[in-house]
Amino acid sequence: MSSQKQVEVKCPHCGAQFWVPEGASRVTCPYCFTVFNVSDLKLEGEEHFYFPLSRTLDPFERLVKFVSRQYAVPIDLPKRFSVQKRELYWVPVYFFFADFRARARGYSQAYGEQYTDITETRLVSIPVSGTWLDTVLEKYPFPVRGKLPFSPEIEAKGVFLKPTVARDEAEKKAENIVAYKVRLEASQSFSALKSLELVEKKLEYRGLVHYPVWVLGYSYNDRDYSAIVDGASGVVIKAEYPQTTKGRATLTAYSILALLSGVAGGLLYSYLFENGFLAIIGGLIVGGAAALPALTRSATRIASASEYLELE
C-alpha cells in the first residue's frame, strides 16, 4: 500500500516550511496555527470554524475500551453496563496564538544572581459555552489541524451552544493564562525571583471553533456513571468507573508498602550517613508522595480517569 504523496509549503505568516498531503486546499500551520490556502498562500478570511464529527466513531465503544484498561475495574463491566445518556454538544472555543518573551532576574544558590530569558509560545483555547463543560475542557489540548469553515448544518446535529463570553473578554483570559505561565517558569528558574520584565507580548486571534463533544451516561449494578468523549478524535476526556472491593484493597496495600519503603529508605540512609532525623523525614515524604495517588483511589468506589492525561 503506497503512502499519500506530500508537498512542501511555506506559511505566509511566520515563514515556516512543512509538508502537507498533495491536493490539500486549506492547511493550518503547525507552528503559528495560521489557516491559509495552499494554491495562492493567502490567509484564510474565515474566523468561525467547526471540527467535523467522526463518522466511524462509536463513543461508547471507545469509552468501554478505555475504562476496561483501568485498574480495579469489574471484569464483567463491558457486558453488563447499560446506556443511560448519549448526547452530542457543540462547544464554542476561542483560540489565540501567544508569543511572550520576558527577562527574569533572580538568585540561584549555586550561581548567585543571574539573568535568564523566558519564552512562552503556545496556542491558548478558551471554552465559552457558559456550562459545566467549560471547566472540564479548560485544560484539554484541542487539536489544531482539521477544522473547517463553519457550517450551519451542525446546529441540527446535537446541542448547539453559543458563546456566552465576548471575544475581548476571552482574549484577556488568554493573556492572563500565558502571563501566569511566564511567571511560573521564571520563579522555577531561581531560588528567589527578584524581577520579571515582559519584553514582547504577542497575542493573535485564531478564530472561534465549535467543537463536538459527547456527554455519556451509563449504569452498572444500579449505579450511574458519566463520561466525556471527544467527538472528533475519540479521546476519552474524562470518565467515571466503578472499582471492585478487591482492587481497592490491593491499592491500599500498595500505598502502605510504598510508605513503608520510603521510611525504610530513610532509616538506611540515616544509618549509612549518620543523618538520622532529616533522612527519616525525607523518606517519609518520598514514601507518602508515592502512596498518595493509590491511597486516594482506594478510598472511593467510583474513580475517574482521563485518556489525554495518561498520554502526557
Side-chain angles (χ1 to χ4, degrees):
M1 182 177 178
S2 60
S3 59
Q4 186 176 7
K5 291 184 178 179
Q6 302 278 312
V7 296
E8 190 175 27
V9 297
K10 182 176 182 180
C11 176
H13 183 262
C14 70
Q17 293 180 298
F18 57 97
W19 295 85
V20 300
E22 186 178 38
S25 58
R26 297 170 62 259
V27 297
T28 301
C29 175
Y31 300 95
C32 70
F33 312 107
T34 298
V35 181
F36 63 93
N37 297 316
V38 175
S39 59
D40 55 13
L41 299 183
K42 289 184 178 180
L43 301 184
E44 179 61 59
E46 294 281 347
E47 289 191 342
H48 193 182
F49 306 89
Y50 81 101
F51 257 81
L53 183 68
S54 172
R55 296 180 179 179
T56 59
L57 169 68
D58 182 337
F60 266 103
E61 181 179 350
R62 292 297 296 265
L63 171 62
V64 172
K65 285 183 177 180
F66 171 71
V67 168
S68 298
R69 297 198 303 266
Q70 305 305 309
Y71 187 77
V73 171
I75 194 170
D76 62 345
L77 186 145
K79 295 181 179 180
R80 294 188 55 191
F81 84 94
S82 60
V83 176
Q84 299 297 322
K85 180 191 293 186
R86 182 190 178 106
E87 296 180 344
L88 175 64
Y89 285 80
W90 294 94
V91 181
V93 185
Y94 284 115
F95 283 82
F96 300 91
F97 172 66
D99 186 8
F100 282 32
R101 304 178 191 279
R103 183 75 166 168
R105 179 176 64 90
Y107 177 79
S108 169
Q109 292 181 349
Y111 304 104
E113 187 171 295
Q114 283 194 321
Y115 287 87
T116 187
D117 293 324
I118 306 294
T119 300
E120 187 71 26
T121 302
R122 56 181 293 172
L123 186 70
V124 185
S125 55
I126 309 293
V128 288
S129 70
T131 69
W132 58 273
L133 285 168
D134 292 346
T135 302
V136 177
L137 300 172
E138 188 174 22
K139 297 181 180 180
Y140 184 58
F142 290 96
V144 176
R145 299 184 180 183
K147 60 181 179 288
L148 301 173
F150 180 76
S151 171
E153 295 179 358
I154 70 170
E155 297 184 24
K157 297 180 180 179
V159 181
F160 185 81
L161 301 173
K162 295 183 179 181
T164 59
V165 174
R167 169 179 160 181
D168 58 345
E169 293 181 47
E171 186 171 349
K172 290 179 182 177
K173 185 174 181 179
E175 181 179 341
N176 290 335
I177 289 173
V178 182
Y180 170 77
K181 293 290 184 180
V182 170
R183 176 164 289 277
L184 180 63
E185 184 178 345
S187 63
Q188 292 174 343
S189 301
F190 304 102
S191 302
L193 179 64
K194 300 295 185 180
S195 64
L196 179 65
E197 178 188 1
L198 193 62
V199 177
E200 181 179 355
K201 181 181 70 174
K202 181 166 64 175
L203 194 65
E204 299 176 348
Y205 183 55
R206 287 292 182 267
L208 172 67
V209 177
H210 269 88
Y211 201 89
V213 173
W214 286 105
V215 176
L216 308 178
Y218 71 96
S219 64
Y220 172 82
N221 280 357
D222 298 324
R223 285 181 177 270
D224 295 331
Y225 304 90
S226 61
I228 311 294
V229 176
D230 186 317
S233 68
V235 170
V236 179
I237 299 171
K238 185 178 181 180
E240 293 179 340
Y241 60 89
Q243 296 191 115
T244 63
T245 302
K246 181 179 178 180
R248 292 170 61 201
T250 303
L251 287 170
T252 302
Y254 169 81
S255 62
I256 294 174
L257 180 61
L259 185 61
L260 292 176
S261 297
V263 174
L267 289 171
L268 178 61
Y269 188 90
S270 66
Y271 174 76
L272 294 175
F273 299 97
E274 299 182 354
N275 192 10
F277 180 73
L278 291 179
I280 295 174
I281 294 298
L284 187 62
I285 293 174
V286 172
L292 185 59
L295 187 62
T296 302
R297 282 187 56 184
S298 68
T300 177
R301 293 181 180 180
I302 301 177
S304 63
S306 173
E307 188 173 11
Y308 78 90
L309 290 177
E310 284 188 354
L311 297 175
E312 286 187 344

